[in-house]
Coordinates of all heavy atoms in Angstrom, one line a residue:
Y240 N -15.7 93.2 66.5 CA -16.8 92.8 65.5 C -18.0 93.8 65.6 O -18.5 94.0 66.7 CB -17.2 91.4 65.7 CG -18.3 91.0 64.8 CD1 -18.1 91.0 63.4 CD2 -19.6 90.7 65.2 CE1 -19.1 90.6 62.5 CE2 -20.6 90.3 64.4 CZ -20.4 90.3 63.0 OH -21.4 90.0 62.1
E241 N -18.3 94.3 64.5 CA -19.6 95.1 64.3 C -20.4 94.4 63.2 O -19.8 93.8 62.3 CB -19.3 96.5 64.0 CG -18.7 97.3 65.1 CD -17.2 97.3 65.0 OE1 -16.6 97.0 63.9 OE2 -16.5 97.6 66.0
M242 N -21.7 94.5 63.3 CA -22.5 93.8 62.3 C -22.4 94.4 60.9 O -22.8 93.8 59.9 CB -24.0 93.9 62.7 CG -24.3 93.2 64.0 SD -26.0 93.0 64.4 CE -26.4 91.7 63.3
T243 N -21.8 95.6 60.8 CA -21.5 96.1 59.4 C -20.2 95.6 58.8 O -20.0 95.8 57.6 CB -21.4 97.7 59.6 OG1 -20.4 98.0 60.6 CG2 -22.7 98.3 59.9
D244 N -19.4 94.8 59.6 CA -18.2 94.2 59.0 C -18.6 93.2 57.9 O -19.6 92.5 58.0 CB -17.4 93.5 60.1 CG -16.8 94.4 61.1 OD1 -16.7 95.6 60.8 OD2 -16.5 93.9 62.2
D245 N -17.8 93.2 56.9 CA -17.9 92.2 55.8 C -16.7 91.3 55.9 O -15.6 91.7 55.6 CB -18.0 92.9 54.5 CG -18.2 91.9 53.3 OD1 -18.0 90.7 53.5 OD2 -18.7 92.4 52.2
L246 N -16.9 90.0 56.3 CA -15.8 89.1 56.6 C -15.5 88.2 55.4 O -14.9 87.1 55.6 CB -16.1 88.3 57.8 CG -16.3 89.1 59.1 CD1 -16.6 88.2 60.3 CD2 -15.0 90.0 59.4
H247 N -16.0 88.6 54.2 CA -15.5 87.9 53.0 C -14.0 88.3 52.8 O -13.6 89.3 53.3 CB -16.3 88.3 51.8 CG -17.7 87.7 51.7 ND1 -18.8 88.3 52.3 CD2 -18.1 86.6 51.2 CE1 -19.8 87.6 52.1 NE2 -19.5 86.5 51.4
M248 N -13.3 87.5 52.1 CA -11.9 87.8 51.8 C -11.8 89.0 50.8 O -12.6 89.1 49.8 CB -11.2 86.6 51.1 CG -11.1 85.3 52.0 SD -10.0 85.5 53.4 CE -11.3 85.9 54.7
A249 N -10.9 89.9 51.2 CA -10.6 91.0 50.3 C -9.9 90.6 49.0 O -9.3 89.5 49.0 CB -9.8 92.1 51.0
S250 N -10.0 91.3 48.0 CA -9.2 91.1 46.8 C -7.7 91.0 47.1 O -7.2 91.9 47.8 CB -9.4 92.1 45.7 OG -8.6 91.9 44.6
G251 N -7.1 89.9 46.8 CA -5.6 89.7 47.1 C -5.4 89.2 48.5 O -4.2 89.1 48.9
S252 N -6.4 88.9 49.3 CA -6.2 88.5 50.7 C -5.4 87.2 50.7 O -5.6 86.3 49.9 CB -7.6 88.3 51.3 OG -7.4 87.6 52.6
P253 N -4.5 87.1 51.7 CA -3.8 85.8 51.8 C -4.7 84.6 52.3 O -4.3 83.5 52.2 CB -2.7 86.1 52.9 CG -3.3 87.3 53.7 CD -4.0 88.1 52.7
G254 N -5.9 85.0 52.7 CA -6.8 83.9 53.1 C -7.6 83.3 52.0 O -8.3 82.3 52.2
I255 N -7.5 83.8 50.8 CA -8.2 83.2 49.6 C -7.7 81.8 49.3 O -6.5 81.6 49.2 CB -8.1 84.1 48.4 CG1 -8.8 85.5 48.6 CG2 -8.7 83.4 47.2 CD1 -8.7 86.5 47.5
S256 N -8.6 80.9 49.3 CA -8.3 79.4 49.0 C -7.3 78.9 50.0 O -6.6 77.9 49.6 CB -7.9 79.3 47.6 OG -8.9 79.8 46.7
Y257 N -7.2 79.4 51.2 CA -6.1 79.0 52.1 C -6.5 78.0 53.1 O -5.7 77.5 53.9 CB -5.4 80.2 52.8 CG -4.1 79.9 53.3 CD1 -3.0 79.6 52.5 CD2 -3.9 79.8 54.7 CE1 -1.8 79.3 53.0 CE2 -2.6 79.5 55.2 CZ -1.6 79.2 54.4 OH -0.3 78.9 54.9
S258 N -7.7 77.6 53.1 CA -8.2 76.5 54.1 C -7.6 75.2 53.6 O -7.2 75.0 52.5 CB -9.7 76.4 54.1 OG -10.2 77.5 54.8
T259 N -7.6 74.3 54.6 CA -7.0 72.9 54.3 C -7.8 72.2 53.2 O -7.3 71.3 52.6 CB -7.0 72.1 55.6 OG1 -8.3 72.1 56.2 CG2 -6.0 72.6 56.5
D260 N -9.1 72.6 53.0 CA -9.9 72.0 51.9 C -9.8 72.8 50.6 O -10.6 72.4 49.7 CB -11.3 71.7 52.4 CG -12.0 73.0 52.7 OD1 -11.4 74.1 52.6 OD2 -13.2 73.0 53.0
G261 N -9.0 73.8 50.5 CA -8.9 74.6 49.3 C -9.9 75.7 49.2 O -9.9 76.5 48.3
T262 N -10.8 75.9 50.2 CA -11.8 77.0 50.2 C -11.2 78.2 50.9 O -10.0 78.1 51.5 CB -13.1 76.6 50.8 OG1 -12.9 76.2 52.2 CG2 -13.7 75.4 50.1
D263 N -11.9 79.3 51.0 CA -11.3 80.4 51.7 C -11.2 80.2 53.2 O -12.0 79.5 53.8 CB -12.2 81.7 51.5 CG -12.1 82.2 50.1 OD1 -11.3 81.8 49.3 OD2 -12.9 83.1 49.8
M264 N -10.2 80.9 53.8 CA -10.1 80.9 55.2 C -11.2 81.7 55.8 O -11.8 82.6 55.2 CB -8.7 81.5 55.6 CG -8.5 81.7 57.1 SD -9.2 83.2 57.8 CE -8.3 84.5 56.9
G265 N -11.7 81.3 57.0 CA -12.7 82.1 57.7 C -14.1 81.6 57.5 O -14.3 80.4 57.0
I266 N -15.1 82.4 57.9 CA -16.4 81.9 58.0 C -17.1 81.6 56.6 O -18.1 80.9 56.6 CB -17.3 82.8 58.8 CG1 -17.5 84.2 58.1 CG2 -16.8 83.0 60.2 CD1 -18.5 85.1 58.8
Y267 N -16.5 82.1 55.6 CA -17.1 81.9 54.2 C -16.3 80.8 53.5 O -16.4 80.7 52.3 CB -17.1 83.2 53.4 CG -18.1 84.2 54.0 CD1 -17.6 85.3 54.6 CD2 -19.4 83.9 54.0 CE1 -18.5 86.3 55.2 CE2 -20.3 84.9 54.6 CZ -19.8 86.0 55.2 OH -20.7 86.9 55.7
G268 N -15.6 80.0 54.3 CA -15.0 78.8 53.7 C -15.8 77.5 53.9 O -17.0 77.6 54.4
T269 N -15.3 76.4 53.7 CA -15.8 75.0 53.8 C -16.8 74.8 52.6 O -17.2 75.8 51.9 CB -16.5 74.7 55.1 OG1 -17.8 75.3 55.2 CG2 -15.7 75.2 56.3
S270 N -17.4 73.6 52.5 CA -18.3 73.3 51.5 C -19.7 73.9 51.8 O -20.6 73.9 50.9 CB -18.4 71.8 51.3 OG -18.9 71.2 52.5
S271 N -19.9 74.4 53.0 CA -21.2 75.0 53.4 C -20.9 76.3 54.1 O -21.0 76.5 55.3 CB -21.9 74.1 54.3 OG -23.2 74.6 54.7
P272 N -20.5 77.4 53.3 CA -20.1 78.6 53.9 C -21.2 79.4 54.6 O -22.4 79.1 54.4 CB -19.6 79.4 52.7 CG -20.3 78.8 51.5 CD -20.4 77.4 51.8
N273 N -20.7 80.2 55.6 CA -21.7 81.1 56.3 C -22.5 81.9 55.3 O -22.1 82.2 54.2 CB -20.9 82.0 57.2 CG -21.7 82.6 58.3 OD1 -22.7 83.2 58.1 ND2 -21.2 82.4 59.5
K274 N -23.8 82.1 55.7 CA -24.7 82.9 54.9 C -24.8 84.3 55.4 O -25.1 84.5 56.6 CB -26.1 82.3 54.8 CG -26.1 80.9 54.2 CD -25.6 80.9 52.8 CE -25.7 79.5 52.2 NZ -24.8 78.5 52.8
P275 N -24.5 85.4 54.6 CA -24.7 86.7 55.1 C -26.1 86.9 55.7 O -27.1 86.5 55.1 CB -24.5 87.6 53.8 CG -23.6 86.7 53.0 CD -24.1 85.3 53.2
G276 N -26.1 87.6 56.8 CA -27.4 87.9 57.4 C -27.9 86.8 58.4 O -28.9 86.9 59.0
A277 N -27.1 85.7 58.5 CA -27.4 84.6 59.4 C -28.8 84.1 59.2 O -29.6 84.0 60.2 CB -27.1 85.0 60.9
V278 N -29.2 83.8 58.0 CA -30.6 83.4 57.7 C -30.9 82.1 58.5 O -30.1 81.2 58.5 CB -30.7 83.1 56.2 CG1 -32.1 82.6 55.8 CG2 -30.4 84.4 55.4
P279 N -32.0 82.1 59.1 CA -32.4 80.9 60.0 C -32.5 79.7 59.1 O -32.9 79.7 57.9 CB -33.7 81.3 60.6 CG -33.7 82.8 60.5 CD -33.0 83.2 59.3
F280 N -32.3 78.5 59.7 CA -32.5 77.3 59.0 C -34.0 77.0 58.8 O -34.4 76.4 57.8 CB -31.9 76.1 59.8 CG -30.4 76.1 59.9 CD1 -29.7 76.6 61.0 CD2 -29.7 75.6 58.8 CE1 -28.3 76.6 61.0 CE2 -28.3 75.6 58.8 CZ -27.6 76.1 59.9
N281 N -34.8 77.4 59.8 CA -36.2 77.1 59.8 C -36.9 78.1 58.8 O -36.5 79.2 58.6 CB -36.8 77.2 61.2 CG -36.5 78.5 61.8 OD1 -35.3 78.8 62.1 ND2 -37.5 79.3 62.1
P282 N -38.1 77.7 58.3 CA -38.9 78.7 57.5 C -39.2 79.9 58.2 O -39.5 79.9 59.4 CB -40.2 77.9 57.1 CG -39.8 76.5 57.2 CD -38.7 76.4 58.4
H283 N -39.0 81.1 57.6 CA -39.2 82.3 58.3 C -39.8 83.4 57.3 O -39.8 83.2 56.1 CB -37.9 82.9 58.8 CG -36.9 83.2 57.7 ND1 -36.2 82.2 57.0 CD2 -36.5 84.3 57.1 CE1 -35.5 82.7 56.0 NE2 -35.6 84.0 56.1
F284 N -40.4 84.4 57.9 CA -41.0 85.4 57.1 C -40.0 86.3 56.5 O -39.1 86.8 57.2 CB -42.0 86.3 58.0 CG -43.2 85.6 58.5 CD1 -43.3 85.3 59.8 CD2 -44.2 85.3 57.6 CE1 -44.4 84.6 60.3 CE2 -45.3 84.6 58.1 CZ -45.4 84.3 59.4
R285 N -40.0 86.5 55.2 CA -39.1 87.3 54.5 C -39.6 88.7 54.1 O -38.9 89.6 54.1 CB -38.6 86.6 53.2 CG -37.5 87.2 52.5 CD -36.9 86.3 51.4 NE -35.7 86.8 50.9 CZ -34.9 86.2 50.0 NH1 -35.2 85.0 49.6 NH2 -33.8 86.7 49.6
Q286 N -40.9 88.7 53.8 CA -41.6 90.0 53.5 C -43.0 89.9 53.9 O -43.7 88.8 53.7 CB -41.4 90.3 52.0 CG -41.9 91.7 51.6 CD -41.7 91.9 50.2 OE1 -41.8 91.0 49.3 NE2 -41.4 93.2 49.8
A287 N -43.6 90.9 54.4 CA -45.0 91.0 54.7 C -45.6 92.3 54.3 O -45.1 93.4 54.7 CB -45.3 90.8 56.2
T288 N -46.6 92.3 53.4 CA -47.2 93.5 52.9 C -48.7 93.4 53.3 O -49.4 92.5 52.8 CB -47.1 93.7 51.4 OG1 -45.7 93.7 51.1 CG2 -47.7 95.0 51.0
I289 N -49.2 94.2 54.2 CA -50.5 94.2 54.6 C -51.2 95.5 54.3 O -50.7 96.6 54.7 CB -50.6 93.9 56.2 CG1 -49.9 92.6 56.5 CG2 -52.0 93.9 56.7 CD1 -49.7 92.3 57.9
A290 N -52.3 95.5 53.6 CA -53.0 96.7 53.2 C -53.5 97.4 54.4 O -53.9 96.8 55.4 CB -54.1 96.4 52.3
P291 N -53.6 98.8 54.4 CA -54.1 99.5 55.5 C -55.6 99.4 55.7 O -56.1 99.7 56.8 CB -53.7 101.0 55.2 CG -53.6 101.0 53.7 CD -53.1 99.6 53.3
S292 N -56.3 98.9 54.7 CA -57.8 98.8 54.8 C -58.3 97.7 53.9 O -57.5 97.2 53.0 CB -58.4 100.1 54.5 OG -58.1 100.5 53.1
T293 N -59.5 97.3 54.1 CA -60.1 96.3 53.2 C -60.4 96.8 51.8 O -60.5 98.0 51.6 CB -61.4 95.7 53.8 OG1 -62.3 96.8 54.0 CG2 -61.2 95.1 55.2
N294 N -60.5 95.9 50.9 CA -60.8 96.3 49.5 C -62.4 96.3 49.3 O -63.1 96.2 50.3 CB -60.2 95.3 48.5 CG -60.6 93.9 48.7 OD1 -61.7 93.6 49.3 ND2 -59.8 93.0 48.2
N295 N -62.8 96.5 48.1 CA -64.2 96.6 47.8 C -65.0 95.4 48.1 O -66.2 95.4 48.3 CB -64.4 97.0 46.3 CG -63.9 98.3 45.9 OD1 -63.8 99.2 46.8 ND2 -63.5 98.6 44.7
N296 N -64.3 94.2 48.2 CA -65.0 93.0 48.6 C -65.0 92.7 50.1 O -65.4 91.7 50.5 CB -64.3 91.8 47.8 CG -64.5 91.9 46.3 OD1 -65.5 92.3 45.8 ND2 -63.4 91.5 45.6
G297 N -64.4 93.7 50.8 CA -64.4 93.5 52.2 C -63.2 92.6 52.7 O -63.2 92.2 53.9
A298 N -62.3 92.3 51.8 CA -61.2 91.4 52.2 C -60.0 92.3 52.5 O -59.8 93.4 51.8 CB -60.9 90.4 51.1
L299 N -59.1 91.9 53.3 CA -57.9 92.6 53.7 C -56.7 92.0 52.9 O -56.3 90.9 53.1 CB -57.6 92.5 55.2 CG -56.3 93.3 55.6 CD1 -56.5 94.8 55.4 CD2 -56.0 92.9 57.1
P300 N -56.2 92.7 51.9 CA -55.1 92.1 51.1 C -53.8 91.9 51.9 O -53.4 92.9 52.6 CB -54.9 93.2 50.0 CG -56.2 93.9 49.9 CD -56.7 94.0 51.3
V301 N -53.3 90.7 51.9 CA -52.1 90.4 52.7 C -51.2 89.6 51.8 O -51.7 88.6 51.2 CB -52.5 89.6 54.0 CG1 -51.2 89.1 54.7 CG2 -53.3 90.4 54.9
N302 N -50.0 90.0 51.7 CA -49.0 89.2 50.8 C -47.8 88.9 51.7 O -47.1 89.8 52.1 CB -48.6 90.1 49.6 CG -47.7 89.3 48.7 OD1 -47.4 88.1 48.9 ND2 -47.2 90.0 47.7

Side-chain angles (χ1 to χ4, degrees):
Y240 178 64
E241 292 89 20
M242 299 190 75
T243 53
D244 291 342
D245 186 341
L246 299 179
H247 286 89
M248 296 295 99
S250 177
S252 170
I255 294 175
S256 302
Y257 198 68
S258 288
T259 51
D260 63 357
T262 63
D263 286 353
M264 177 275 296
I266 64 174
Y267 294 111
T269 79
S270 60
S271 180
N273 199 306
K274 299 296 184 295
V278 177
F280 290 100
N281 52 296
H283 61 287
F284 293 108
R285 189 167 188 174
Q286 184 180 35
T288 303
I289 302 173
S292 61
T293 58
N294 58 23
N295 293 334
N296 297 321
L299 181 67
V301 175
N302 185 5

